[in-house]
Amino acid sequence: MVENVIWPAFLDADLSRSEGRRVSRDLAVSEPTVDEIAKAVQQVGYDAKIERDKQYPREWEPRGRVLVKDAEDATKTDLLQAVAAYLEVIRS
């Protein structure tokens, strides 16, 4: 069983690549929450589990993380881009 971890920093348009952003700024959104990310993961078609008490190592404030279960058929980059696209739809 493969578990991918998605930190909010991976999709945050306010951060630079060196600060942890993993998608292009065009796809990223400002300050994504773990709830929005989990909803986007479910829209993509995977199961999501939210862990709110976790902290991304490069950040001071804990924002949590989302665990994506059984995503063996997609690379992490493809998964992040799909989730980022759905975040844009959820926000509008």
Side-chain angles (χ1 to χ4, degrees):
M1 178 172 82
V2 174
E3 276 189 353
N4 283 309
V5 176
I6 300 179
W7 297 96
F10 289 176
L11 305 166
D12 196 339
D14 300 331
L15 301 179
S16 67
R17 291 274 187 168
S18 64
E19 291 173 321
R21 183 172 44 85
R22 299 272 302 262
V23 297
S24 68
R25 202 172 293 263
D26 296 339
L27 287 174
V29 296
S30 181
E31 297 183 9
T33 65
V34 289
D35 295 317
E36 291 173 327
I37 295 170
K39 188 184 288 187
V41 166
Q42 291 169 347
Q43 289 291 323
V44 173
Y46 298 109
D47 291 332
K49 179 182 176 194
I50 297 173
E51 293 184 336
R52 296 184 188 282
D53 59 337
K54 301 297 181 180
Q55 177 180 334
Y56 186 57
R58 295 182 189 177
E59 293 183 327
W60 294 99
E61 306 259 335
R63 292 201 279 178
R65 69 180 182 186
V66 177
L67 296 178
V68 182
K69 308 245 185 214
D70 299 326
E72 293 126 3
D73 58 343
T75 64
K76 186 156 189 167
T77 303
D78 291 341
L79 178 64
L80 287 173
Q81 289 177 351
V83 169
Y86 273 105
L87 277 178
E88 187 85 23
V89 172
I90 289 172
R91 286 265 175 112
S92 43

